[in-house]
Structures are given as structure tokens and as C-alpha cells.
Amino acid sequence: MSTSTSTDVSTRPVDPAYVTAKPVNPAGLPTAYEHGGRLTPEGSSVDPILVEIVQGTLASVEMEVETAIGRTSRSPMIRDAHDFRAGIHDRQLRKLTGRSYSALVHPIVRDFPLEEMREGDVFFHNDVYESEGGIGHLPDLCVTVPVFHEGEVVAFVQAFGHHDDIGGACPGSMPSGATSVYEEGLAVPPIKLWEAGVPNKAALRIMTRNSRMPDSLAADLDAECSACLMGARRLSELFGRYGREAIETSFDAILDATTETYRREILSKIPDGTYVWEDYAEHDGVDEPQLHTQRITLTKVSDAPADPENGRPAGPRLIIDFTGTSAQAKGPINHCGDYVGGNFLKKWLAPILRNLADTPERMAELDVNEGIVPLIEMRFPEKGTLLTPIHPGPTNARTFVILRLLGVLAGVVAKAVDGKMPADQETIRYTGVYGKDLEGNDYLMREVLGGGSGGRYYADGEDTIHVVPDSRNLPTEFTESRFPFIVERLGLAVDSGGAGEFRGGLGYEKQIRMLKDAHFMSIADRSILACWGVRGGKAGAPFQVVIDPGGPDEREVDALADAEVIRAGQVVRIRTTGGGGWGDPLARDPELVVRDVVWGKVSAEAALRDYGVVLTGSRDGGDLGFDASATEAERAGRASWSREDDAFFDRGPGYAELADGAAFAEVDRV
């Protein structure tokens, strides 16, 4: 069990174990708090049936909270795109549910001692540098509600999501050229938004006054507060039904089971040793495009000694060292990862490890809760890197870093397990338009369009997935009725999936025609550096936005744009990333290539160019097939992928543009 103190983030030394302390934080409030410890003695007896009941209730309450938010919120980003999530934590601040990642309770308990909390309190924060790493950028607003049993705090219900606008230099609060957090919007450290059931109207007025969309913001916050209060009542009822000791013993049992499952089924698949890999963000919105490195040195140890001070048991352990990560960027792609020993990042990255499960079905059964934290040790470089930024470094596009880290972990594990991990994917980017609607009112439309996932050693990647569970593109019927444009096409981007024995999933192609002059905005990466393929698989197609395609003013828009002018009648075409391919494309079953051409996922030209498949007949004629002899001859004349001679990863042609002509990095060999 450890304690913590917040000091000035610009001078605080790196302290992954989070054990140094000063008596007060900048708000003058107590900061030493317990977190991460057990609730009951190890080895306490527990009723397995009750554990199942408790686990099911936690999942039900979490889902009920999310459903309530989705049904009662107002902004398209929350209500329709579902870019939010809930979480349930115990009084040691451990995340109990594992369907999705969530923010942290640590900053709340740091600033407001448990014994001073009262029923009906609702806490709020969005300050990235005061969030202990749980909030990545200012539009992510977080509400936290304590759960009470017999007058004492026993748990927490929390929700956080991406809101339309919290002020800052541009609509949407994500200025692509920001050089400090002060340009990104209103930053609120932990406060009481409700006290004993009474809303703090002054605080709410300050927040809505700083938003370009005050009505949506107020409605969304009301939905989130009410839903979390409802969730707290449900959990309080659970404690009342079975008693505190039985419930807390069940909490420990749930997390212990996760620890043991990952130790036995996942970590055992990684051979002991040290492995290194890196990937890159391509631009930060300020400097010219360049390689912003995120590096992981992964060490697997099967017999690590116990580390009780940091809650780590003896046995298998993964050590993730970020040394070699690039310096803090001038622009907004930084992420505050080095807090509470990387607690948030551990739970963010751990879902990648599920790909080592014996079957896809087993993978889907594995939750990621606080039980994975003791199995991972993180080591951070000194302050002043992409993952250890110094205030007031901007962070609004931090998705470029934390999404890339998912791929870096997948890549470094792939080197350890002979490629039996998925190829790369990029499934978050923000695009949108804003201006005056047909009635002259201000509007802002943004959505998070997904992309294709990477091919796997047993299957193709999935098309147009979103990393946020249950999130989705905005319904056409809704957007056309609310905003001044027409959606002329929403479908799959042909040939966007990386070629491979198992093809990468496809990205979106979306085309909208403006009915009135407007401005286009985009916060996106992977427009130069494509999603990588592995073990002979090829990179997917990069992100691309074109205004007025085929028209007199056709032009490609930079992936980081705040106010690109679009005239009434012009079309905006958005193509999102395809996933990387897995395995040599020349090893793909020709029948599958024919099927992909019939389905419109692969063009006839790409069938020959990328797969060496000689087609016969035609798609329109309904008799498309392939010439087996000609295909065999075509493939025989091409060089197959060789583990000894070729790079293990394919980054696509964009890498050479930023790497002085190099086709691959040294770490790309095995």
C-alpha cells in the first residue's frame, strides 16, 4: 500500500512508485491517501456463488449507468456517438469492472478525504495535470460519486466522456496548433459539483459560460451526475443486502481471479527475455512532420521477487520501459502517463495482451480490471517527454500517443511470440464541420470515425471498428436533419486494408455535401505513416481528406486542421485508415481474394498487384473467378517474404518520407 502527494508537476521528480510526499498539494488539501491495497486479509474465505452475484451486479450497474447517460444526454458526441464510459471502483480506488477503460478516482481522494465525503456529493474534474493520469485532454469531463454503507464510503461510481466544447482557441476545444493547455479550454481541478445532493450552480455557470455549446454541456453533465448517483444507490443496496464484509471479500476475489488468469493464461505465453520495438506519431500540429518516437523495451520475468511496497506478488511480471521515447512535443500530442506508477496506462494497454489467449472466444471473456496492475511494472523517462510532459504542455491530441502505444505493445510482443499478434490499427480520429446552420444558428458536428483493425494469424481484420466500446458513427438521418449537409456516401474504403495472408480490415469512406459555407476540422494521425503489417503483411492505406474531389477546387487537407473553408455545394471525402495485413499476401487463398473482389473490399487491380491473383470473368457478370495456373505462375515469379532477409514489419511508403529514405527501422528485424 502506498501514499501519494501532488507537487508542482513542472518540478516533481519522476516517481513511478508514487511514495514521496509533501504535506499539502497546490489546493492546500491533504494528499496522503491509501490506494491499491486489499480490502480483506489474503486467503479470506469467500462464497463463490456470491462472487458471481456481485460480479454480475457490478456489470449490470455499470451498464445501467451508461444506458441512462446515453438516453438522457444531449450532445451528439455523448448521446449518439457514445464517446463515454463508466467505471466502478472500491474504496482502495481499484477498478472492479473490466468491459472498458475509465478514468481514476485517485485525484478525488487526494483532494477530498473519504471521511469528509457525504451522501449526495458529486465530484468533478477535467484538469489533465491534476488527474493523476486518468484524463488525457480537457474535453474529457469526469464525474465521480461515492457509495455509502452505514455512513462510510465503500466504493465509487464514475463516468467520463468527450464533450462538445469546453472553450479554448477553436470550436470543439481541440486546437491542432496549440502550444499550451491554456489554448485548449477550461481546466477544472477536482471540485464538488454537488454537495450533499445540492448542485453547485456557480461552478456549473462558470463551465457553461466558457463553452460554445452551453446547453448541451449543462444537459450532459446533468445526465452524467444523475446516472452516477443512481449507480451509487444500486451499489449501496448491494452492500445492504449482503453486508460489507461479504461484498469486500468478493471484490478481492474478483481482482485476484483476474491476476491469476492473466498470470496463467497470458504471461505464460511470452518467453522470458527482453524485446524492443518502437513506432511513431507523424506530426504535432506545430513543427513539420517528423518521427515522434514511442519506444517500449519489454522484459518478461517468470520468477520476479515479491514487491509488497508496490503491491506486486512474486512470480511472472512484465516490465515496460518507455526509455527512448521522444522529447515533449511543441504541439498537443503529449500524454501525462507517469502518475501513480502508470496506473491508467497499465489498464489502457492490457487489452492488447488478451490477443495471446488460446482462442478468440476466450479472449472475449477476459476482463481488464485492477487485477492486471500487480503484473505490470512501468518505468518512465525523466520529465519532458511525450509521456512525461511538463505543464503547461498541450495534450488535446494525445490520442496520437496512447493509440500508438497500443500498437507498440502489440509489435514488441509480436517479436517475442513469432508474430502471433494482430497487425496495427488506428481507430480514433476526430473530424467535423462547424458554422451557421440554415436558420443562422451556430452548430458544431464532430464524430469519431473508426478504421480497420489489423489482420490476425488466424483471420482477417475487422472493418470500421471503434476502440471505445459501443461507440459508433453518427446516424445519417440524425445529422442530415440537424446540420446543413447531405451524406452522399458512407461505406467501406476499397483497398484500404493492408494486403496479407490475412487481410487488414477496411476503413470508412464518407462523403458529405455542404448546403452552406462552413469550416472543416480534423484531428487525425496516420496520414503519412500507415498502420503497419507484420510477418510479411503489408501496411494499410493511410487517412485522407479531400475537398471537392473531381471538382475545380480539389485539394487534400492536412490531417490536423482547425478551420478549412468549405463552400456550399462542395463535397468533403473522408477515408479512414485500413488495418495492417498479417502474413505474406502471396500465401492468401485465391478464393478469398475473389470473394473480396465480389464483396467490393478489394479491387480487381489490387487482386493482381497485391496478391498475384489472375482473375477471370467479371464481377458485374456474376462469373468472377481466377485462373489457377496463371495465378501459380504469377506468384512463382515474385519473391516471397523471408524472415531472414526481410523486415518483420512493413510501415508503408510514408515511413521513408520521414526517415531519410530508409525502408524500415533497425528494430523492425527479429
Side-chain angles (χ1 to χ4, degrees):
M1 187 179 302
S2 55
T3 59
S4 165
T5 293
S6 174
T7 63
D8 186 320
V9 295
S10 65
T11 59
R12 193 187 72 204
V14 177
D15 182 27
Y18 221 139
V19 295
T20 58
K22 285 187 178 181
V24 294
N25 68 12
L29 298 167
T31 62
Y33 61 94
E34 293 184 350
H35 65 276
R38 296 183 62 86
L39 302 173
T40 59
E42 196 163 358
S44 298
S45 60
V46 59
D47 181 352
I49 296 177
L50 179 59
V51 172
E52 291 291 328
I53 292 172
V54 171
Q55 193 164 22
T57 301
L58 293 174
S60 175
V61 171
E62 182 180 71
M63 182 62 72
E64 187 176 6
V65 169
E66 292 189 353
T67 300
I69 293 171
R71 289 181 174 178
T72 59
S73 56
R74 179 168 177 176
S75 69
M77 190 67 80
I78 300 294
R79 184 191 63 202
D80 300 288
H82 281 226
D83 190 1
F84 70 92
R85 60 219 55 92
I88 299 174
H89 310 253
D90 67 17
R91 60 183 170 88
Q92 281 289 328
L93 320 187
R94 301 178 303 172
K95 188 171 186 295
L96 299 168
T97 47
R99 191 177 62 86
S100 175
Y101 62 97
S102 66
L104 303 180
V105 182
H106 300 65
I108 305 304
V109 178
R110 178 197 68 205
D111 290 0
F112 297 92
L114 295 182
E115 58 270 18
E116 296 180 10
M117 296 180 181
R118 293 188 290 173
E119 291 194 54
D121 284 350
V122 178
F123 300 92
F124 173 92
H125 73 289
N126 76 323
D127 189 327
V128 174
Y129 286 92
E130 289 283 331
S131 74
E132 305 289 29
I135 298 294
H137 58 182
L138 294 179
D140 282 350
L141 310 184
C142 182
V143 298
T144 306
V145 174
V147 178
F148 285 83
H149 174 68
E150 297 180 350
E152 294 186 338
V153 176
V154 291
F156 295 89
V157 177
Q158 189 179 72
F160 86 116
H162 189 125
H163 293 252
D164 272 346
D165 189 277
I166 194 66
C170 73
S173 309
M174 296 183 69
S176 62
T179 56
S180 80
V181 293
Y182 301 118
E183 301 166 65
E184 298 180 316
L186 181 68
V188 182
I191 64 169
K192 278 189 181 181
L193 191 59
W194 290 33
E195 185 163 6
V198 179
N200 184 338
K201 294 182 179 179
L204 181 61
R205 186 179 180 192
I206 291 171
M207 286 189 280
T208 55
R209 181 63 174 165
N210 278 273
S211 173
R212 297 172 179 85
M213 301 288 163
D215 293 340
S216 292
L217 177 60
D220 288 348
L221 285 174
D222 187 56
E224 290 159 350
C225 292
S226 299
C228 286
L229 286 166
M230 176 269 294
R233 291 193 298 271
R234 297 285 189 269
L235 287 181
S236 183
E237 293 167 1
L238 180 69
F239 276 87
R241 186 176 304 121
Y242 295 104
R244 176 169 175 172
E245 181 179 358
I247 296 301
E248 292 193 334
T249 302
S250 297
F251 287 174
D252 280 338
I254 290 168
L255 301 185
D256 288 346
T258 296
T259 303
E260 178 56 30
T261 296
Y262 275 79
R263 178 189 290 123
R264 182 181 64 251
E265 298 185 27
I266 302 299
L267 268 62
S268 63
K269 303 287 181 60
I270 303 175
D272 281 16
T274 297
Y275 313 91
V276 182
W277 202 60
E278 66 188 33
D279 205 359
Y280 318 93
E282 63 194 27
H283 54 173
D284 71 347
V286 176
D287 286 331
E288 289 299 310
Q290 59 185 277
L291 299 177
H292 295 273
T293 304
Q294 291 123 80
R295 172 177 283 219
I296 286 179
T297 299
L298 176 71
T299 301
K300 160 66 185 309
V301 181
S302 290
D303 56 355
D307 181 6
E309 183 178 1
N310 294 301
R312 301 187 187 110
R317 186 178 305 161
L318 294 180
I319 301 171
I320 298 177
D321 190 336
F322 299 105
T323 300
T325 292
S326 286
Q328 178 173 332
K330 294 178 185 177
I333 65 172
N334 307 291
H335 176 73
C336 296
D338 59 327
Y339 292 80
V340 202
N343 184 281
F344 173 85
L345 277 182
K346 291 177 183 179
K347 290 174 282 191
W348 168 261
L349 293 175
I352 290 296
L353 300 174
R354 297 185 301 184
N355 287 285
L356 295 171
D358 287 339
T359 65
E361 293 76 18
R362 180 55 176 157
M363 172 185 170
E365 295 172 348
L366 299 180
D367 279 346
V368 174
N369 55 35
E370 205 77 17
I372 62 93
V373 170
L375 300 175
I376 301 174
E377 176 184 346
M378 286 188 167
R379 298 176 181 175
F380 293 91
E382 296 292 326
K383 280 290 186 183
T385 72
L386 291 173
L387 283 174
T388 60
I390 298 170
H391 185 272
T395 67
N396 74 76
R398 96 296 187 204
T399 49
F400 293 11
V401 168
I402 61 172
L403 284 176
R404 193 69 69 256
L405 285 178
L406 294 172
V408 180
L409 181 59
V412 76
V413 173
K415 292 180 74 172
V417 298
D418 194 28
K420 290 190 175 181
M421 290 289 286
D424 192 32
Q425 63 185 38
E426 178 82 348
T427 59
I428 289 183
R429 77 273 305 147
Y430 304 91
T431 60
V433 292
Y434 64 92
K436 299 283 187 181
D437 64 20
L438 298 177
E439 284 73 44
N441 300 313
D442 291 327
Y443 76 92
L444 167 65
M445 188 288 295
R446 288 190 309 174
E447 65 180 330
V448 184
L449 286 173
S453 71
R456 299 155 285 182
Y457 67 91
Y458 55 86
D460 293 344
E462 299 292 338
D463 303 323
T464 60
I465 67 163
H466 296 244
V467 73
V468 179
D470 298 329
S471 66
R472 63 203 69 173
N473 59 286
L474 295 178
T476 296
E477 296 81 3
F478 162 73
T479 56
E480 289 186 341
S481 66
R482 183 162 177 174
F483 305 116
F485 60 73
I486 295 172
V487 179
E488 295 197 341
R489 185 177 192 274
L490 178 62
L492 299 177
V494 180
D495 290 337
S496 58
E501 181 179 358
F502 296 102
R503 176 184 42 74
L506 275 61
Y508 281 104
E509 179 175 317
K510 184 167 188 174
Q511 298 184 22
I512 62 174
R513 185 178 298 275
M514 300 307 303
L515 302 178
K516 193 172 183 180
D517 291 356
H519 292 91
F520 175 80
M521 62 195 312
S522 171
I523 296 288
D525 201 23
R526 290 297 198 206
S527 64
I528 302 172
L529 301 173
C531 296
W532 44 264
V534 66
R535 219 174 183 279
K538 301 301 181 181
F543 175 81
Q544 183 191 55
V545 175
V546 175
I547 291 179
D548 198 29
D553 296 322
E554 178 176 346
R555 65 192 187 277
E556 189 167 337
V557 178
D558 191 87
L560 281 171
D562 292 340
E564 187 73 24
V565 175
I566 324 169
R567 299 301 179 192
Q570 289 186 331
V571 169
V572 181
R573 185 184 70 201
I574 304 165
R575 288 177 176 166
T576 68
T577 50
W582 194 98
D584 191 340
L586 300 181
R588 186 167 178 80
D589 185 343
E591 293 283 4
L592 295 180
V593 177
V594 172
R595 180 205 66 183
D596 286 347
V597 175
V598 171
W599 286 357
K601 293 188 174 186
V602 173
S603 67
E605 294 77 14
L608 178 61
R609 180 188 69 231
D610 298 337
Y611 295 97
V613 173
V614 179
L615 299 176
T616 61
S618 70
R619 180 185 177 195
D620 292 340
D623 60 347
L624 190 71
F626 73 99
D627 186 318
S629 298
T631 296
E632 183 178 356
E634 176 68 30
R635 289 180 165 184
R638 302 186 185 188
S640 298
W641 177 77
S642 166
R643 180 189 179 95
E644 291 72 29
D645 299 330
D646 298 317
F648 204 62
F649 302 90
D650 176 64
R651 299 180 184 271
Y655 177 75
E657 296 179 28
L658 303 183
D660 297 324
F664 56 87
E666 284 301 315
V667 294
D668 291 344
R669 290 193 177 275
V670 292

